[in-house]
Amino acid sequence: MSADAELSARLEMVRAVIMEAGALAVSYFADLHALEVEEKINGQDVVSVADKAVEDLILAEVRRRFPEDGFLGEETGLTEGGSGYLWVVDPIDGTSCFVHGRHDWCVSIALVKHGEPVVGIIFAPVTDELFLGVKGQGASLNGVAINVDGRSGLHQGLLGVGANFRIPKGSIPRFIDNLMEAGGMFIRSGSGALMLVEVACGRMIGYYEPHINAWDCLAALLIIREAGGWTADFPSKAPEIMDGAEVIAAAPQVRAALLEVIAKTKADLASDGVPPSNERG
Ligand code: LIP
């Protein structure tokens, strides 16, 4: 089979399975009183039966159609394969939002080939938005081509900020102080993947989170690049893919100003004696 045919077969599969995954998640979302939820790190970092069921559905379809492919899921971990392809799946990104009935959550799937992301697909069932990026072929939202914001600077646009309990204490307040001092404004929803794709379609000018996992962001980062945005390198090969990393994305005209704010934040934290973030979680 040619490389193009291999990719088309996988694209066709993932476009169908992500819609099924979204519908399954919605069936749990419609009955949140009955949802079983467990704590991971603490009450702000949770997993529900819906996350597990949605990941199982995607995993079963990958196993059925492409049994040689590897799979990295937020809930099931890493199984390496022999085909060179790896699926990186967050069944529900924004789980805390989901369990509390908020609308900012999505299903996120990246396809990585020999360590390089080649497909990113994100489905937000509540708003019925399907974001897709294919390496070298551009990015779209519900089938219509999208581009990052080409005009707004740090002073005009909204910058997404993510946080979690793995990052050093004080890093987010420092970043927000420095951002606002530079004339910027932050915005935070509970789904890193969704905030990132909002950069891809021009609703936000960039995104920063001191540490995030690969399943939360690999799909969205490819979509941003395909929409003309800039993203900092992020590990996408095993074993480093398991470590996660800092995530930075920006519209091209915002990149330098954002990097300056991040550098100032790191210098401030270092002078306060705060260690840099690099934790698994
Ligand atoms: C979470 C993201 C959140 C991000 C956290 C975490 P989960 O993922 O949605 O926006 O800031 O780092 O990764 O646990 O909801 O899949």
Side-chain angles (χ1 to χ4, degrees):
M1 205 192 257
S2 73
D4 280 356
E6 281 178 6
L7 186 64
S8 305
R10 285 169 174 81
L11 248 179
E12 183 217 339
M13 182 280 276
V14 76
R15 291 180 75 119
V17 81
I18 204 165
M19 301 311 285
E20 277 180 53
L24 179 60
V26 165
S27 70
Y28 285 97
F29 195 63
D31 190 13
L32 286 178
H33 296 298
L35 192 72
E36 287 168 40
V37 180
E38 284 166 35
E39 294 189 6
K40 295 205 275 191
I41 297 180
N42 58 33
Q44 303 291 351
D45 184 25
V46 294
V47 57
S48 75
V49 286
D51 299 69
K52 292 177 182 169
V54 171
E55 186 160 316
D56 286 350
L57 181 149
I58 299 167
L59 175 59
E61 189 60 3
V62 169
R63 288 277 163 274
R64 190 177 75 80
R65 293 284 308 276
F66 304 104
E68 293 298 307
D69 289 4
F71 191 91
L72 169 58
E74 173 167 18
E75 313 309 337
T76 46
L78 176 67
T79 312
E80 294 196 59
S83 65
Y85 287 98
L86 175 70
W87 297 91
V88 183
V89 173
D90 191 343
I92 297 178
D93 185 65
T95 303
S96 293
C97 301
F98 181 93
V99 305
H100 294 296
R102 285 181 53 89
H103 289 175
D104 32 5
W105 57 271
C106 62
V107 184
S108 171
I109 305 178
L111 178 63
V112 174
K113 184 180 180 187
H114 299 302
E116 196 185 341
V118 289
V119 174
I121 187 162
I122 289 182
F123 182 41
V126 174
T127 51
D128 203 19
E129 290 188 316
L130 180 73
F131 294 86
L132 176 68
V134 180
K135 189 164 189 296
Q137 295 179 29
S140 61
L141 165 53
N142 290 346
V144 178
I146 50 172
N147 291 293
V148 295
D149 179 335
R151 290 182 306 183
S152 313
L154 199 67
H155 293 82
Q156 292 97 27
L158 298 171
L159 191 105
V161 178
N164 58 64
F165 279 88
R166 301 182 304 276
I167 60 180
K169 195 165 171 268
S171 51
I172 295 297
R174 274 294 180 149
F175 175 77
I176 288 174
D177 269 356
N178 288 330
L179 175 69
M180 291 180 68
E181 207 174 288
M185 182 47 72
F186 69 96
I187 200 148
R188 156 95 173 136
S189 87
S191 164
L194 267 190
M195 279 190 287
L196 282 162
V197 283
E198 296 214 284
V199 178
C201 67
R203 295 176 192 156
M204 290 190 204
I205 52 169
Y207 185 80
Y208 175 62
E209 182 163 348
H211 184 274
I212 200 167
N213 289 310
W215 46 84
D216 297 314
C217 71
L218 274 189
L221 291 177
L222 176 66
I223 298 170
I224 291 173
R225 290 192 292 276
E226 288 301 320
W230 171 81
T231 68
D233 288 345
F234 195 93
S236 51
K237 276 191 185 134
E240 295 82 8
I241 195 171
M242 299 305 291
D243 294 340
E246 173 182 67
V247 64
I248 315 172
Q253 74 280 6
V254 172
R255 172 185 171 175
L258 174 58
L259 289 177
E260 228 174 89
V261 173
I262 293 169
K264 179 167 187 336
T265 303
K266 288 178 180 170
D268 291 346
L269 291 170
S271 76
D272 291 350
V274 178
S277 161
N278 190 23
E279 277 182 48
R280 283 184 187 208

